Amino acid sequence: MAVMKFIPETLKNLFKAPVTTAYPFEPAEYPERSRGHISIEIDDCIGCGMCVRACPLGALKVDKNEGTWEINRFDCIVCGYCVEKCPKKCLSVQTGYQTPGGDKTSELFKKSEEALRAEAEKKAEAARKAAEAKAALEAKKKAEKTEA
Amino acid sequence: MKKRSIVPYGPQHPVLPEPIHLDLVIEDEKIVEAIPSVGFIHRGLENLVQKRDFNQMAYVAERVCGICSFGHGFGYCEAIEDIMDIEVPDRAKYLRTIWFELSRMHSHFLWLGLLADGFGFENLFYQCWRIREKILDVLELTTGGRVIFSVNKVGGVMKDITPEMAGAILDMLASVKKELKAIVPAFTQDYSVKSRLVGVGVLTKQQAHDLGCAGPFARASGIQTDMRKLGYAAYGDLDFDVITSNDGDSYARCVVRINEIFQSISIIEQAIEKMPDGELAAVVKGNPQGESFIRIEQPRGEAIYYVSANGSPHLDRMRVRTPTFANLAGLCETLKGADYADVGLLILTIDPCISCTER
Ligand code: SF4
Ligand code: SF4
């Protein structure tokens, strides 16, 4: 009759070191691929909103005019679909889990002043070029008319 | 007639991992009848197909369950691929097989632990979960998630297993095999454990067949049913037998699942050896139109995915028939005539996953 089949294993346990990590006294280690949270290089974002449309949870908000990108980390399931869809590749999955909190707040990222200024300058430049092209076209038309 | 009384069992009960309610009709200490009721954690995931596009749904389908999550995402993607006639690259098929078997292993270890907990062997319970942790670590290393992997997409997979990772998987398998062998005698030979399992909750082959049972529960009653033999993903190329037992009791269910862990180890080893190089995913163009019906073998048994699409990004209908749902009828049959003290253990022996059942 086999009784107490487990005694050898149990005895071994008495002399083995614990298999658990003494977190938080020892830091937790995550492998490189661990899906902890989503991070953004906000200055590269063009505000296209592809990530907002991709997100199955509706955890994202983008405002192109304000240059902001907002994520509700409590809704996000870190599926990584937004990362795959972003055309500028400015989103990425990082290790390290979302810390728990008392209320569901969103995290807001805003473009830096320089990036906003550069963008505004770019826009102004583009508008100026467009206006110039338009003026040139009209002048050409006028000239053609007078010629005719 | 003796006096009968009805004892409500669950949805909150120390032995139940998930909420299910049973009305137990008892006579003295014997169960005469068990009437199940489910519906405590219905989340309406199937209805979401009308609000999320079919690519997003792959992530939703995966979250039908927290343990057999890989299979749900996989079954859903297979169904869409079937409708759209997408040929999944070979390497993706092998990767899916490896991850599927790893998730089967961790699911079975989880079950073994819960079983040990069910008959009051806490030390054994923790040993099982300690070993399971190694599998979860490898899953996190290769996919980034411990139980929800998010590696499946329509057309293939998103991540690759590098040669170093394959090495890590093989090392893990070798050590898990050794450690499992050390604890198997406690399940299969220990006198006290056997007295809780042998001859308890017998389901005959005929009953299992008539009640439409699935998975290890049906195989323990001698039914040769294993959807992996249909040869989806890479299973067609790999060598394995359907593991069955003719006893039909709780002990047989335990032994079948232990042997399936060894079988999964062998399947993964074969798959890693044979895995070809190549693309990870096929290109998906357009929207699905038509319907499909896919059967796969989840850790808990046969799961069925039905998808109906109308040519728009949003599907008409998705339906998941989960193995636990199929096994509930069998469970109520095994409960008849059982001791009241065995009810918790018997519920565990079907490996219930109520979250899947209610979606
Ligand atoms: S998809 Fe990328 S570039 Fe577009 S709004 Fe989102 S983060 Fe910005
Ligand atoms: S990771 Fe998934 S859930 Fe999170 S914001 Fe991106 S798409 Fe949404």
Side-chain angles (χ1 to χ4, degrees), chain A residues 38 51 54-60 71 75-83:
Chain A
I38 301 291
C51 52
C55 180
L57 272 291
L60 300 175
I71 179 167
D75 280 355
C76 171
I77 52 174
V78 205
C79 62
Y81 195 37
C82 52
V83 177

Side-chain angles (χ1 to χ4, degrees), chain A residues 2 5 13 33 35 54 56, chain B residues 52 56 127 142 149 160 191:
Chain A
K5 276 305 237 187
N13 273 344
R33 284 187 183 177
R35 299 196 320 276
Chain B
R52 303 279 180 267
Q56 291 174 335
Q127 295 296 338
T142 53
F149 311 144
D160 199 359
Y191 175 77

Side-chain angles (χ1 to χ4, degrees), chain B residues 113-315:
Chain B
L114 290 178
L115 182 80
D117 185 43
F119 53 66
F121 203 153
E122 295 300 317
N123 191 344
L124 191 55
F125 162 50
Y126 278 107
Q127 295 296 338
C128 293
W129 282 38
R130 174 179 62 82
I131 304 174
R132 174 174 179 255
E133 203 62 21
K134 296 189 173 179
I135 308 169
L136 295 185
D137 284 347
V138 154
L139 283 167
E140 192 179 17
L141 176 77
T142 53
T143 68
R146 287 160 62 80
V147 284
I148 306 261
F149 311 144
S150 291
V151 282
N152 265 321
K153 65 174 177 184
V154 175
V157 293
M158 283 182 267
K159 287 176 182 154
D160 199 359
I161 292 183
T162 60
E164 297 88 63
M165 289 176 182
I169 295 179
L170 291 174
D171 290 348
M172 180 277 289
L173 290 179
S175 84
V176 164
K177 206 187 217 168
K178 199 170 129 231
E179 293 185 18
L180 177 61
K181 273 188 186 147
I183 63 166
V184 162
F187 280 106
T188 55
Q189 291 168 24
D190 194 277
Y191 175 77
S192 332
V193 173
K194 272 174 108 175
S195 70
R196 289 300 306 271
L197 297 178
V198 176
V200 176
V202 176
L203 190 74
T204 63
K205 185 172 182 179
Q206 190 59 40
Q207 281 172 329
H209 176 262
D210 293 348
L211 295 168
C213 297
F217 188 54
R219 288 197 282 276
S221 292
I223 295 189
Q224 292 264 345
T225 162
D226 192 333
M227 290 310 127
R228 288 177 286 178
K229 282 287 175 199
L230 293 178
Y232 58 83
Y235 288 112
D237 303 344
L238 305 172
D239 180 33
F240 63 98
D241 295 320
V242 182
I243 292 171
T244 57
S245 164
N246 291 324
D247 301 341
D249 56 359
S250 301
Y251 183 76
R253 285 164 215 150
C254 179
V255 171
V256 164
R257 286 196 177 91
I258 289 174
N259 287 335
E260 280 184 17
I261 298 179
F262 287 118
Q263 181 184 46
S264 291
I265 293 177
S266 134
I267 292 178
I268 299 169
E269 283 168 351
Q270 291 176 44
I272 287 181
E273 193 182 311
K274 285 190 185 168
M275 187 158 63
D277 286 335
E279 292 289 308
L280 293 182
V283 185
V284 179
K285 284 204 195 89
N287 295 320
Q289 179 155 28
E291 52 182 0
S292 175
F293 188 87
I294 293 287
R295 307 161 76 190
I296 62 166
E297 186 73 20
Q298 286 274 28
R300 289 162 182 75
E302 175 190 359
I304 299 172
Y305 298 82
Y306 169 77
V307 169
S308 155
N310 55 12
S312 77
H314 299 272
L315 305 173

